[in-house]
Amino acid sequence: MKNSELRERSAGDLAVHEAELARDLWKARFGNFTNQLDDTAKIKRLRRQVARVKTIITQKQKAGQG
């Protein structure tokens, strides 16, 4: 998902999306540990997506305060 698409979402939607990504990241890490994950780059992509969503949530919170 692109940054512009993420910025259009509400804070609640972003929180739900972050939870889904965190769950997918946990599954990917677990799959990697049990040697069932074929695409190990998926972990890096998911980590970056989670960070991107958290950054946008923080920016929205600061914009609302200021």
Side-chain angles (χ1 to χ4, degrees), residues 9-66:
R9 289 184 161 197
S10 67
D13 289 341
L14 287 173
V16 170
H17 188 61
E18 178 189 353
E20 291 171 0
L21 288 173
R23 185 174 48 250
D24 290 344
L25 178 59
W26 185 86
K27 287 180 182 179
R29 285 181 175 159
F30 191 78
N32 190 36
F33 183 73
T34 58
N35 291 327
Q36 295 176 351
L37 183 65
D38 294 331
D39 183 18
T40 56
K42 182 177 183 179
I43 294 172
K44 184 177 180 179
R45 283 193 308 268
L46 286 170
R47 282 181 52 228
R48 288 179 183 228
Q49 288 176 349
V50 168
R52 191 173 294 124
V53 170
K54 284 184 176 185
T55 300
I56 292 172
I57 290 173
T58 303
Q59 288 174 349
K60 284 184 178 259
Q61 289 175 348
K62 286 186 178 182
Q65 292 175 352

